[in-house]
Amino acid sequence: MKGRKRKGKAVFSLLLTGILFLLSGCVGSGGRQQEGDPSKQQSFTSFGAGETIRILSGSENRELGNILEKCAEETKVNIEISYQGSVDIMRDLEAGAEDYDAVWPASSLWISMGDQQHLVKHTESISNTPVVFGIRKSLAQELGFVGSEVSVKDILAAIQEGKMSFCMTSATQSNSGASAYIGFLYALLGKQDGITLADLEAPQLQQDMTRLLSGIERSSGSSEWLMDMFLEGNYDAMVNYECLVISTNQKLEEEGKEPLYVVYPYDGLNIADSPLGYVDHGEKNKEEAFLKIQEYLLSDSAQDEIQRTGRRTGYAGVKEENKDIFKPEWGIDTERILSTITMPSSEVLAQALNLYQSKLRKPSLTVYCLDFSGSMIGKGNDQLVQAMAQVLLQENAEKNFLQAGERDVNLVITFDNGIIHTYEAKDASPKSLEDLYKAVEEERPGGGTDIYLPAMAALREMRENYDLTQYTPAVILMTDGKSNGDTVFGDFQEFYLQEQMDVPVFSIMFGQAQESQLEELAALTNARVFDGRSDLIGAFRSVKGYN
């Protein structure tokens, strides 16, 4: 590990802490405002409701807000939904999901992997949607994919020839990414039956998968945010749920832009079955209230509304009156028989995800810009150090499939109103990352706050020392205060636009951080802001899932 001396004013320093997820809430259709990140919670209330059902859900269900609002009104049951990634849903189930009455992940596999205490019952699929490639239609035409049967190896060939790249969620953090990845494994192995542990060790498979994943241009920890990111950027293609590709195309056409063409890889197709299950904590009233919600969502009227969002209900096509949503000119084929792969055993799936994270995925290049201003003294500094322990100490990172890959690069820039130090792990070994953590732990906070200076320093570090086409790059900025240094947003904006770098600057808001300043950075760099005020460790872990 190398350390570079501070260029700005000298300042005392102590530790680092924060890393995992975001928690707080939003206004859904008819929902009430909750504290925190609007993307993570929704509430739908009913006058005279007797019970409240708390649902742990995948982010893709946020599109069903209007339907859930009607559900609450009709059933007289309040609905509170917390949105989390697939791995977080699995981990919550493993721990007993005490804060929830129901789970609604994108796929049954996360229930089967997580429900080790056998608490989930009354599970029913609410809808289904295949995981597909959405490719700019002109590019799909150029590649010969329009009106053709396309295999995963056809897509691999286009990537290897430099004709196409794509965006995808992390296979270890989001169901759409995991589903696509497992489908790729089946296709590259040429198998129809279950994948074995021995299959995963095949050198040709690992080589082909590494080449395929090298085509990923941007990554995400959430399928819904991947759609938003795609709409704001200029990318060739994305792997996502068919229903979210439909939503993307609706927005693209509203803006007069070229739509995506849907490609169903015939040898590696996977389907998200959207199971809604009750978490049994022995409360009979809760169970009865849950069954009212489930019955409503499975009713003919609700199923019809769900189908209008681009989701399929059942496996036998869509209603005639809804076919205008599933446009054939977008490559969508509602008559196609969706023959999906069989998911491997939990043991094989866990090993496949570990292999993806540690060896096969495109390497990440991450620069952590960590605030060591005076306001971080004490509790803030302690939390920051605890958070960094979750991502840099590999025995912790492995628990959430966030371990470093063999080719990853990790740097830390500590700052106050100037740059304090720049540290770089010499490689991605556990020892080097532990040394990086110790360097952070030994920092001492003090001084003012300038968030733009370290963000620009991070981008310069990337530009001058790395070939960004070989990495999934990201700057992760954590601050607990308002930037009041000599550098302003205009300076950063001028630098970023001049460099023409497509590198996201993700921010983690903590303490008294100025949200508007962080949102400006996110909007400019096509990134997002994570709320670490209630759970700094969770916010760090969550943002790391985005690269």
Side-chain angles (χ1 to χ4, degrees), residues 2 42 59-60 72 82 93 121 152 182 190 193 229 259 267 309 335 370-371 422 424 437 440 510 547:
K2 55 183 178 182
Q42 282 180 308
S59 65
E60 64 285 339
S82 294
L93 278 174
K121 65 181 187 179
V152 168
I182 298 301
D193 52 352
M229 181 203 75
D267 53 352
T309 69
E335 303 303 317
L370 303 176
D371 188 344
T422 298
E424 180 179 355
Y437 166 74
V440 170
F510 188 62
N547 86 318

Side-chain angles (χ1 to χ4, degrees), residues 47-94:
F47 181 74
E51 288 290 343
T52 296
I53 293 296
R54 303 158 300 170
I55 303 175
L56 179 58
S57 168
S59 65
E60 64 285 339
N61 290 326
R62 208 154 69 92
E63 284 199 328
L64 304 180
N66 291 333
I67 298 168
L68 291 167
E69 182 181 12
K70 291 179 184 177
C71 178
E73 291 171 357
E74 291 289 327
T75 61
K76 302 301 180 188
V77 177
N78 293 329
I79 300 172
E80 292 184 358
I81 299 191
S82 294
Y83 297 104
Q84 291 191 19
S86 298
V87 170
D88 291 293
I89 292 174
M90 180 185 74
R91 295 299 187 216
D92 260 312
L93 278 174
E94 285 176 346

Side-chain angles (χ1 to χ4, degrees), residues 303-341:
Q303 289 282 288
D304 185 61
E305 284 190 77
I306 289 171
Q307 205 170 89
R308 294 292 299 175
T309 69
R311 289 157 173 79
R312 303 180 186 223
T313 53
Y315 292 85
V318 299
K319 291 183 178 180
E320 191 65 35
E321 59 267 31
N322 291 333
K323 287 191 174 180
D324 60 311
I325 301 296
F326 299 80
K327 296 184 177 181
E329 60 265 35
W330 294 344
I332 297 172
D333 185 357
T334 57
E335 303 303 317
R336 184 188 192 98
I337 297 174
L338 298 178
S339 55
T340 183
I341 62 172

Side-chain angles (χ1 to χ4, degrees), residues 78-122:
N78 293 329
I79 300 172
E80 292 184 358
I81 299 191
S82 294
Y83 297 104
Q84 291 191 19
S86 298
V87 170
D88 291 293
I89 292 174
M90 180 185 74
R91 295 299 187 216
D92 260 312
L93 278 174
E94 285 176 346
E98 292 182 2
D99 294 331
Y100 303 100
D101 308 304
V103 288
W104 195 2
S107 172
S108 296
L109 77 93
W110 304 106
I111 295 179
S112 63
M113 287 184 69
D115 187 26
Q116 297 175 4
Q117 300 181 43
H118 306 293
L119 298 173
V120 181
K121 65 181 187 179
H122 304 311

Side-chain angles (χ1 to χ4, degrees), residues 1 47 58 63 71 76 87 92 115 135 149 202 204 211 234 312 325 350 426 430 434 484 524 526:
M1 178 190 67
F47 181 74
E63 284 199 328
C71 178
K76 302 301 180 188
V87 170
D92 260 312
D115 187 26
I135 304 173
E149 288 291 306
Q204 188 62 53
R211 288 171 176 167
N234 181 27
R312 303 180 186 223
I325 301 296
K426 62 183 180 181
E434 184 178 352
N484 53 16
L524 176 64
N526 202 2

Side-chain angles (χ1 to χ4, degrees), residues 257-298:
K257 296 179 180 177
E258 179 184 19
L260 300 177
Y261 186 84
V262 173
V263 170
Y264 307 85
Y266 65 81
D267 53 352
L269 187 66
N270 213 333
I271 295 176
D273 61 343
S274 189
L276 175 62
Y278 175 65
V279 182
D280 190 0
H281 296 303
E283 300 178 64
K284 193 66 178 175
N285 290 343
K286 291 282 189 183
E287 185 173 358
E288 291 172 358
F290 166 83
L291 290 172
K292 288 180 183 178
I293 291 172
Q294 189 180 71
E295 183 181 5
Y296 178 88
L297 292 174
L298 291 172

